[in-house]
Amino acid sequence: MKTITISSAYVKQTLDGAAAMGYDLGRLLRECAIPVQILENSRSRIEASCYFQLISNLTELLNDEAMGLLEKPQRVGLYQLLCNGVIHNETVGAAYREMVQYTNLFENGFNHRLTSGDSLVSHQINRRSTDSVRNPYIVETTLMTYHRFHSWLAGQRIPIAQVTLDYAPTDYLPEYRYLFFGAPVLFNQPVCSISYQKSSFRLPN
């Protein structure tokens, strides 16, 4: 069985919030059996289990589900609260719209918006200020989390039509085929977004 691994680029960005707060990054990595040298090697990889342990440890240490990567901490339990608040909906679209509405009630660094065209529904996230979002990782993770949760509600992976990002191409482009399941990813766009076919929003929960 093939071992799932994570790029060191994600590890470094995950630690940006803790680094800004003065935490000992070496200690945080060693506690998760991650070599400290990974911070200097952009092409190295670690086992996914070690990476997920790092996320868990950081979330608990900072009491922040965004791990210090947004302007304001997202206290532990907030995401569970949002999910519990929308699972009663009968369709993916109703749950998605309600989750966007609820998320905007909190100071999370982004303004969330759903737009609808002839065939696509797009979930846009705009920075509330220039310093409210620390790095690309939290942008991509936010879009990915919405997709994964609503796919779970639907009981199937919802196809992603397209992803747009408002920054230049990163140095970990091959990772996007896993993050967004091979969907087209466009950089230097006016807005960060993830788009779906309208038919996906009619799927039952």
Side-chain angles (χ1 to χ4, degrees):
M1 183 175 179
K2 186 177 180 181
T3 300
I4 299 174
T5 60
I6 303 293
S7 168
S8 61
Y10 285 132
V11 178
K12 289 186 279 190
Q13 290 193 65
T14 301
L15 289 166
D16 276 353
M21 298 178 199
Y23 285 95
D24 183 341
L25 301 189
R27 179 179 177 180
L28 292 171
L29 291 172
R30 287 190 293 271
E31 288 175 348
C32 302
I34 300 173
V36 177
Q37 293 79 6
I38 199 170
L39 298 177
E40 284 129 31
N41 187 346
S42 61
R43 296 189 176 183
S44 58
R45 306 184 71 83
I46 64 166
E47 289 190 15
S49 59
C50 297
Y51 178 67
F52 294 139
Q53 185 61 56
L54 176 63
I55 290 177
S56 178
N57 288 4
L58 283 172
T59 300
E60 181 178 355
L61 176 67
L62 304 179
N63 187 20
D64 181 4
E65 293 181 341
M67 298 172 292
L69 301 177
L70 295 177
E71 189 174 19
K72 300 288 179 67
Q74 308 301 293
R75 297 306 183 196
V76 174
L78 174 59
Y79 186 65
Q80 181 180 354
L81 178 68
L82 292 171
C83 293
N84 287 340
V86 305
I87 58 175
H88 66 279
N89 285 282
E90 295 184 356
T91 65
V92 166
Y96 210 120
R97 291 184 184 92
E98 200 164 79
M99 196 164 186
V100 164
Q101 178 184 359
Y102 290 163
T103 303
N104 281 333
L105 297 176
F106 299 92
E107 295 182 349
N108 55 45
F110 298 111
N111 282 313
H112 294 250
R113 181 186 177 203
L114 282 179
T115 63
S116 182
D118 292 337
S119 61
L120 298 180
V121 177
S122 294
H123 174 196
Q124 300 179 357
I125 57 174
N126 296 285
R127 293 168 175 80
R128 294 194 177 191
S129 67
T130 55
D131 58 353
S132 65
V133 179
R134 193 170 291 280
N135 60 35
Y137 169 85
I138 193 62
V139 174
E140 295 156 11
T141 300
T142 298
L143 296 175
M144 179 199 72
T145 299
Y146 266 81
H147 173 253
R148 300 296 195 274
F149 172 67
H150 290 89
S151 292
W152 174 79
L153 282 182
Q156 61 181 281
R157 184 192 300 167
I158 298 173
I160 302 172
Q162 180 178 273
V163 173
T164 66
L165 301 170
D166 65 359
Y167 42 85
T170 65
D171 57 0
Y172 49 90
L173 292 179
E175 302 302 312
Y176 289 107
R177 69 179 182 270
Y178 305 113
L179 192 65
F180 299 118
F181 298 106
V185 178
L186 307 179
F187 293 90
N188 294 316
Q189 300 300 303
V191 68
C192 296
S193 70
I194 185 168
S195 298
Y196 312 94
Q197 295 293 332
K198 275 187 171 181
S199 57
S200 296
F201 270 40
R202 294 192 291 270
L203 290 170
N205 288 344

